[in-house]
Amino acid sequence: MAAVRFRTAAMLLTLAAFALRAYGLHHKSFWLDEVDAISMAGEPLRQQVRKLAAIGENGPLFFILFKGWIALAGTSEFGARYLSCGASTLAVPLVGALARRLTHSAPIAIAAAALAAASPFYVWYAQDAKMYPLYAALALAAQYALLRALSRGGAWWWVGYAVASSFALYVHLFAALQIGANTLVGLLYVTRRRWRSFALATAALVLPYVPIAVWQAPVLAQGARVGYQPVALPSMVLALGEQLTWHLDVAPPRSLLVPLLAVIALGVWHLLDVAPRAAAAVGIWLVAPLLAVYALQFTVPVFRDRYLIPLLAPLLIACAAAVCLRPAALALPAAAFMCVSWLYGMAHRPPNPDYRAAAAYVAREYRPGQRIGFLAEYAERPFGFYYRRDWGTYEKANLPYTNYPGTTEQDGLAAAARALRAGETLWIVRWEDWFWDARDLTTQFLRNRGARETRRLGFSGLIVTQWVLP
């Protein structure tokens, strides 16, 4: 009867999670990364496979799957994002199953699944046409299969562990960090009877990893700059604490991290009491990948909270253990804090820049002979996706990249002069313009030239202006 109640609760939470993720799936405009994902999925299959030899690229598995998906569902916001919605929904029962396998506690497992169902971080990426929900679900499947294989044996669980780990690796490179953490957890749980099977499964994971190691070895050995700045370990911890929980556009007061750390500490204390190895496993899954990313900062500084989405599951299990503490005097404050945090995070989700509305506005006002320029240049990709899909073509003004090292102010102004025409009406679409023209030399040239700014509208962080040049 207890097993039936647990499965019923898990099923209801999964249905609620699906409803939460599917609601409003089409409300937000695509942003840059989603349009890029659609574009990459449209590439020929042979070109996708070639990414296996491209340094710095993730594996092609997500884009191959996404290619087939959008062939069926189309490239509407709802259709393209539905794959992420499904993968994120799958994470809910997997978190519950993993928590129960770790702790042998149905209340902790249900609490973990409930936190996963309403997690602002999971819900955000469920409504984003990218690889991260699939990556998270595969990482969870690998962790669960490993624990089942270590406790019950059975060839299929070992195969499942190797397959899920390999698939995760070919979805996102950071899955290699999860394989390392899982190996440490396996050493914690393995018995003499299971040692041979564990060794064989771990060795099997080397085979799909070899090509990844070969193509990434030059980057790791020589170091590379891939567009990110090195991040100190305390800053990583703070960023993950803020983003894996509330996932806000503007960082909340750091003081809010104190009760969060208290909840995590209470949860680990509870796990140490009821399942000491579970506490150790949660710690390994949280700390080992983070330390590995920190070590990479010295050669390849790559840190983004979404790359570490598998860390959310052990974090939720620790918080769930705090919520299930006895006496209730300890559990209730933890439960109240998590509930209020999740509600606040869901109510204040960061918006996508609204390229859809911006393209529609410009298209309605656009006249033949006018041009559209972009600061930064890559803002054209999502803007152009909507404009060309719904409105047709436009003439583009190639605004200069004045942030290029060594570009003087005089050089930037001269480049703006070459890009613009006397007597024209110019639209400028701005998003992350600091990356392209930090000194705003384009605007400086327009003002020096006597141009008039006749329109300025904001679209969730995206700014559209219109200028008339004499």
Side-chain angles (χ1 to χ4, degrees):
M1 184 62 71
V4 172
R5 287 198 298 268
F6 174 77
R7 293 191 183 99
T8 301
M11 182 180 67
L12 291 174
L13 284 170
T14 302
L15 291 173
F18 173 75
L20 185 61
R21 286 152 174 75
Y23 176 75
L25 201 58
H26 63 292
H27 287 177
K28 296 184 299 181
S29 162
F30 285 135
W31 70 296
L32 175 65
D33 281 12
E34 291 180 287
V35 170
D36 284 350
I38 292 170
S39 175
M40 286 187 278
E43 295 172 354
L45 188 60
R46 182 178 298 178
Q47 193 169 336
Q48 301 279 5
V49 175
R50 284 176 184 165
K51 290 180 181 178
L52 289 172
I55 293 176
E57 289 279 359
N58 275 308
L61 181 57
F62 171 77
F63 295 106
I64 292 172
L65 291 173
F66 197 39
K67 182 181 183 68
W69 178 260
I70 60 178
L72 294 172
T75 57
S76 69
E77 291 86 354
F78 192 93
R81 289 169 175 157
Y82 199 86
L83 181 62
S84 293
C85 175
S88 181
T89 301
L90 181 61
V92 174
L94 284 172
V95 167
L98 179 65
R100 189 166 195 196
R101 180 59 50 182
L102 271 175
T103 66
H104 306 289
S105 168
I108 292 177
I110 292 300
L115 290 172
S119 162
F121 197 79
Y122 274 157
V123 173
W124 169 267
Y125 284 104
Q127 299 181 344
D128 190 66
K130 287 288 287 179
M131 64 194 64
Y132 303 107
L134 179 62
Y135 170 36
L138 287 169
L140 280 164
Q143 290 167 329
Y144 179 74
L146 173 64
L147 291 181
R148 282 296 299 258
L150 287 168
S151 63
R152 295 284 185 90
W156 286 112
W157 287 113
W158 290 114
V159 170
Y161 168 59
V163 169
S165 299
S166 301
F167 282 178
L169 197 57
Y170 282 93
V171 167
H172 201 282
L173 284 174
F174 271 44
L177 309 182
Q178 296 303 125
I179 292 174
N182 288 343
T183 302
L184 294 176
V185 171
L187 291 172
L188 186 68
Y189 277 84
V190 69
T191 62
R192 183 174 298 180
R193 183 180 178 186
R194 311 283 185 218
W195 178 259
R196 184 170 178 272
S197 299
F198 172 64
L200 288 173
T202 304
L205 287 174
V206 173
L207 297 177
Y209 185 70
V210 166
I212 295 179
V214 169
W215 97 67
Q216 297 299 327
V219 175
L220 296 177
Q222 301 169 15
R225 288 291 177 262
V226 290
Y228 301 127
Q229 295 300 316
V231 181
L233 185 60
S235 297
M236 288 185 189
V237 174
L238 288 171
L240 290 172
E242 294 165 353
Q243 293 303 308
L244 293 181
T245 50
W246 309 296
H247 192 57
L248 303 174
D249 201 21
V250 178
R254 294 284 170 82
S255 58
L256 286 178
L257 292 174
V258 175
L260 174 64
L261 289 174
V263 169
I264 295 171
L266 280 174
V268 172
W269 178 56
H270 188 194
L271 290 176
L272 284 170
D273 183 48
V274 300
R277 283 193 302 180
V282 165
I284 290 169
W285 279 328
L286 278 173
V287 174
L290 180 60
L291 292 179
V293 173
Y294 174 66
L296 284 174
Q297 300 301 296
F298 299 102
T299 54
V300 186
V302 178
F303 170 72
R304 283 294 182 269
D305 51 77
R306 58 186 180 271
Y307 298 170
L308 292 169
I309 193 172
L311 271 64
L312 182 53
L315 180 68
L316 294 179
I317 292 171
C319 293
V323 168
C324 296
L325 266 171
R326 293 291 180 271
L330 291 174
L332 286 177
F337 176 77
M338 295 305 299
C339 182
V340 171
S341 294
W342 262 215
L343 287 173
Y344 186 85
M346 289 297 298
H348 295 82
R349 287 184 290 174
N352 279 359
D354 199 347
Y355 285 99
R356 181 174 55 194
Y361 170 75
V362 174
R364 287 194 300 268
E365 304 297 328
Y366 182 82
R367 298 294 179 267
Q370 298 178 354
R371 293 195 298 164
I372 306 174
F374 300 89
L375 295 172
E377 175 73 12
Y378 50 72
E380 186 189 9
R381 299 205 292 270
F383 180 91
F385 172 86
Y386 282 110
Y387 198 105
R388 295 186 182 99
R389 186 191 72 179
D390 299 332
W391 304 95
T393 59
Y394 56 86
E395 187 178 357
K396 179 184 173 184
N398 293 307
L399 301 182
Y401 173 49
T402 65
N403 279 14
Y404 190 82
T407 301
T408 66
E409 182 174 321
Q410 185 177 358
D411 293 337
L413 292 171
R418 291 191 297 270
L420 303 178
R421 302 170 183 167
E424 76 168 331
T425 296
L426 174 72
W427 294 89
I428 299 181
V429 178
R430 293 176 174 269
W431 185 64
E432 294 189 352
D433 49 346
W434 51 265
F435 181 80
W436 200 256
D437 185 14
R439 292 167 291 184
D440 204 10
L441 298 182
T442 300
T443 300
Q444 185 177 328
F445 170 81
L446 287 167
R447 295 194 186 281
N448 292 345
R449 186 74 170 74
R452 292 182 297 112
E453 184 181 327
T454 54
R455 299 176 192 267
R456 174 177 286 267
L457 281 89
F459 299 90
S460 298
L462 183 74
I463 305 296
V464 173
T465 58
Q466 185 191 63
W467 293 82
V468 177
L469 282 78

